[in-house]
Amino acid sequence: MMGHRQVEQVALFYEFSLERHVPTDHLLRLIDRFVDLEQVRRDLAPFYSSIGRPSIDPELMIRMLLIGYCFGIRSERRLCDEVHLNLAYRWFCRLGLDGAVPDHSTFSKNRHGRFRQSDLFRRVFESVLSRCIEERLVGGEGFAVDASLIKADANRQKGIEGDKGLPPEAAGRAIDEYLAVLDDAAFGAATEVTPKFVSPSDPAARWTGAHGGQAFFAYSTNYLVDIENAIIVDVEATTAIRQAEVLAAKRMIERSLERFDLYPSRLLGDSGYGSAEMLAWLVYEHGIEPHVTVFDKSARTDGIFSRDDFTYDHAGDIYRCPSGKVLTTTGTLVNDGATMLYLASKRDCDRCALKARCCPKQASRRVPRSIYEGARDMARQIARSWEGGTSRRLRKKIEMLFAHLKRILKLDRLRGRSMLNSCYASMQVPSCRIVRARDRLVQLCVCAERALSIHIDVADIRSSTPTTTGC
């Protein structure tokens, strides 16, 4: 017999518990076990008045942001609606059935106010990353570094020529933040080259054609990742240019050392981090093995002998050409102040049968050698070894994190303008990682940089002093 739906009230009182309603294997329940935000109120206490109307609980806003980044809810308006309707979200936010959800404007007000002034997100990041280290999820022996472009919230068709500069009437928060970081090596001072176009709505964004297609305005998000469990150790936003990305790598390594005493024995990276100065910084200043592809353009394709065809003698500090003649140096630094020139004798070159393949348009052959060539040779030797091949495979872990950032969280384009918003977005990454513990899979909230939009104020970005700016 077909049943009927009863619409009348059969009981006067109902007993309902959110605690029993949320399944034991729900993602938020698993995350909640490892989220400790008790310190939030103590950190923010100096930034609230002792009188007046009670504010929105800051822990509630942090928990809502966690939900947004875990479930890919980028819109704060939609996030408030989802928390209002979803019982699991209400349970995680400690709202109960009748708790009021804050207005979406509360997030932006606090992000540009108390959260920025107190470095709240940085404190949350440090506490969660410390938990990762305590749980031995961070090995600290091998790090990988890389950067990825994120499109800025700027119309490429409305850019103005870089030589003309910004119009005098340009104003706004994005303009003010751009002017504040003109001397910062990670943004305005990263290069002396004037960009082809500048966006009047977000001038800190860099015009780039690195993807090979249409050029666009973009920022770079830089990751420093522990390769053992692909845990993001640090994140930093920079302008979309290689010099700034190399500087960001140095800052992140120094921060991890100062704040968490993480001293990697090797660093994995592509050729963007393979300049002579960067390799020397790794090897000579920090004793880190450079598992990095060397940036080298000395190879010749016109039939002329390349630098690799000349043999260097460490004991005598000389080069020998393919015919066995000696090239010596006076020790004078040339070009950028980090290069020595080794010259062959004009008499030897004039009588050499290989002159047409060596220096057909010069009186004698010159071979440049960087003063950091020892570090470059070390990186080349590692690249040819078995460990170098393994490092190239492990380096793909960081690419997977960038793919998750853009494909799953939809952070391939910023939703806000200005340098500071690029810093926020670069720290938004998913919060949960799957790790194996006690012979079973457990979902842990192991990295706050995959869950929070971290604030980095302008003073921290402009300073070269190591400070934690991870997610």
Side-chain angles (χ1 to χ4, degrees), residues 56-296:
I56 301 298
D57 185 5
E59 180 178 347
L60 169 60
M61 288 186 283
I62 298 298
R63 288 182 174 272
M64 290 181 64
L65 289 176
L66 282 168
I67 292 173
Y69 301 137
C70 287
F71 293 94
I73 305 174
R74 294 192 60 191
S75 170
E76 290 170 352
R77 288 178 181 267
R78 185 185 163 208
L79 176 61
C80 294
D81 294 337
E82 293 292 337
V83 172
H84 176 72
L85 296 173
N86 193 298
L87 294 179
Y89 296 172
R90 281 185 166 273
W91 172 85
F92 183 76
C93 294
R94 308 293 193 266
L95 284 174
L97 288 174
D98 57 351
V101 178
D103 187 78
H104 66 89
S105 62
T106 305
F107 291 99
S108 59
K109 291 293 184 181
N110 282 274
R111 183 182 295 117
H112 294 288
R114 298 185 184 94
F115 291 176
R116 176 187 298 187
Q117 298 165 7
S118 63
D119 288 343
L120 174 65
F121 291 122
R122 183 178 300 132
R123 298 174 187 267
V124 175
F125 161 72
E126 291 179 355
S127 64
V128 177
L129 184 56
S130 298
R131 180 65 181 273
C132 297
I133 298 173
E134 293 174 3
E135 297 289 341
R136 298 183 180 181
L137 297 175
V138 179
E141 296 183 358
F143 285 171
V145 64
D146 204 354
S148 182
L149 295 179
I150 297 182
K151 291 183 179 180
D153 187 18
N155 192 333
R156 62 180 304 275
Q157 297 179 346
K158 295 185 178 181
I160 58 179
E161 295 183 9
D163 295 334
K164 296 181 179 180
L166 294 173
E169 64 274 10
R173 182 162 52 197
I175 304 296
D176 295 339
E177 293 178 2
Y178 163 71
L179 296 175
V181 296
L182 279 178
D183 297 329
D184 178 24
F187 285 93
T191 177
E192 296 180 356
V193 178
T194 302
K196 186 175 182 179
F197 293 101
V198 176
S199 171
S201 59
D202 191 1
R206 188 83 181 183
W207 180 261
T208 177
H211 285 173
Q214 283 189 335
F216 55 91
F217 294 105
Y219 290 93
S220 286
T221 177
N222 301 266
Y223 279 4
L224 184 67
V225 176
D226 181 81
I227 60 175
E228 182 173 340
N229 287 313
I231 302 299
I232 302 175
V233 177
D234 205 348
V235 183
E236 182 163 327
T238 62
T239 187
I241 193 169
R242 181 55 65 179
Q243 295 92 318
E245 294 167 0
V246 172
L247 175 64
K250 295 180 179 180
R251 289 180 177 178
M252 291 188 293
I253 293 173
E254 291 176 343
R255 277 195 295 268
S256 64
L257 173 61
E258 179 179 333
R259 293 297 182 94
F260 304 104
D261 198 25
L262 297 175
Y263 207 115
S265 60
R266 63 188 185 277
L267 180 72
L268 287 59
D270 57 25
S271 60
Y273 305 92
S275 64
E277 293 79 4
M278 179 63 181
L279 296 174
W281 183 86
L282 291 173
V283 175
Y284 301 141
E285 295 189 26
H286 292 276
I288 300 175
E289 291 184 2
H291 290 236
V292 179
T293 305
V294 178
F295 183 79
D296 191 353

Side-chain angles (χ1 to χ4, degrees), residues 431-447:
S431 64
C432 297
R433 304 287 298 158
I434 305 296
V435 297
R436 182 168 295 277
R438 300 180 183 179
D439 298 327
R440 61 190 177 92
L441 289 176
V442 182
Q443 288 182 310
L444 301 177
C445 180
V446 296
C447 211

